Amino acid sequence: AQKITQTQPGMFVQEKEAVTLDCTYDTSDQSYGLFWYKQPSSGEMIFLIYQGSYDEQNATEGRYSLNFQKARKSANLVISASQLGDSAMYFCAALIQGAQKLVFGQGTRLTINP
Amino acid sequence: NAGVTQTPKFRVLKTGQSMTLLCAQDMNHEYMYWYRQDPGMGLRLIHYSVGEGTTAKGEVPDGYNVSRLKKQNFLLGLESAAPSQTSVYFCASSYPPTGPEAFFGQGTRLTVV
């Protein structure tokens, strides 16, 4: 069964610093997609970034980048120049093509301090 | 663009009552999912569907049933609600013709007393 692990329950970072949120995944499939979502205190799920298992380049979207290390099965989210509005829960997720289901990690609560 | 719409947004049930949560999407997506999120926790997959007329069990399917009679709708049923089913329920849909990411509804807060 697929499993997504986020080992950091909470992170505290000073504003304007970069932050890395860890995510590891466990699958024997060769074809899969990795996602990061943000959930602010208002509760909605906001898509941030996607990485396909066959993509050779690490994905980037504005201040977000995904540090994809396929051999280590890790897909860490890097947020550069953090802002107060980045304070939220962050979830890593994987879509395994064979199983066709989207599963999530436990989440990391990120707090940006002024 | 409505995207993914969940009905209702809030509900309080008594133990043993039944109810159905409706998820509707207007993006012609094949895949639809139901998740539950408990306080301070991630999203756990209840059931999912990869197309009209198909459903499959996720990580925590017990106590729930689903139906996908129409491509745009995915229904989650609770036959006999229990306090352990108090949670926030999210519906999501994806693939194709939009990109790989799943689109989420706004969530349904269910309390079983």
Side-chain angles (χ1 to χ4, degrees):
Chain A
Q2 302 86 281
K3 185 175 181 181
I4 311 299
T5 302
Q6 296 179 249
T7 58
Q8 306 152 309
M11 290 274 289
F12 295 85
V13 173
Q14 286 299 119
E15 189 179 9
K16 300 181 184 177
E17 289 185 350
V19 57
T20 298
L21 305 182
D22 295 340
C23 173
T24 58
Y25 56 94
D26 181 15
T27 180
S28 56
D29 282 53
Q30 296 301 309
S31 180
Y32 50 89
L34 300 161
F35 306 80
W36 278 91
Y37 284 83
K38 173 183 179 181
Q39 186 180 44
S41 57
S42 52
E44 71 267 32
M45 295 292 289
I46 301 169
F47 166 71
L48 295 178
I49 196 166
Y50 166 80
Q51 178 88 41
S53 60
Y54 294 115
D55 294 342
E56 294 186 355
Q57 302 280 345
N58 284 345
T60 60
E61 289 286 349
R63 293 186 298 113
Y64 304 109
S65 60
L66 200 152
N67 184 1
F68 180 46
Q69 299 188 42
K70 193 170 185 177
R72 299 179 63 181
K73 296 188 176 180
S74 74
N76 299 340
L77 177 70
V78 180
I79 305 175
S80 63
S82 57
Q83 302 171 356
L84 296 179
D86 294 334
S87 293
M89 282 289 286
Y90 288 81
F91 293 101
C92 178
L95 176 64
I96 310 300
Q97 294 300 336
Q100 297 174 315
K101 59 182 180 181
L102 182 64
V103 292
F104 283 77
Q106 313 93 306
T108 296
R109 181 171 297 281
L110 176 64
T111 302
I112 308 299
N113 296 315
Chain B
N1 290 340
V4 179
T5 302
Q6 291 182 229
T7 308
K9 293 182 175 57
F10 303 93
R11 184 74 185 267
V12 178
L13 283 181
K14 293 183 179 179
T15 298
Q17 287 185 320
S18 63
M19 77 163 294
T20 300
L21 281 68
L22 170 63
C23 178
Q25 52 95 4
D26 61 0
M27 295 171 282
N28 205 32
H29 284 161
E30 291 291 341
Y31 297 2
M32 296 188 75
Y33 308 89
W34 274 109
Y35 296 91
R36 61 176 289 172
Q37 184 179 27
D38 300 309
M41 306 224 2
L43 280 73
R44 292 186 291 170
L45 183 63
I46 304 171
H47 287 280
Y48 64 105
S49 167
V50 299
E52 180 179 316
T54 72
T55 62
K57 294 181 180 180
E59 303 164 292
V60 289
D62 294 342
Y64 304 94
N65 56 75
V66 288
S67 65
R68 183 100 182 265
L69 298 180
K70 292 183 178 181
K71 187 176 184 178
Q72 63 268 34
N73 295 338
F74 195 29
L75 279 64
L76 178 71
L78 285 72
E79 290 186 348
S80 179
S84 60
Q85 294 178 303
T86 293
S87 190
V88 178
Y89 291 84
F90 284 98
C91 175
S93 71
S94 70
Y95 184 77
T98 54
E101 73 271 24
F103 292 77
F104 281 79
Q106 71 275 46
T108 296
R109 185 173 296 276
L110 174 66
T111 303
V112 182
V113 297

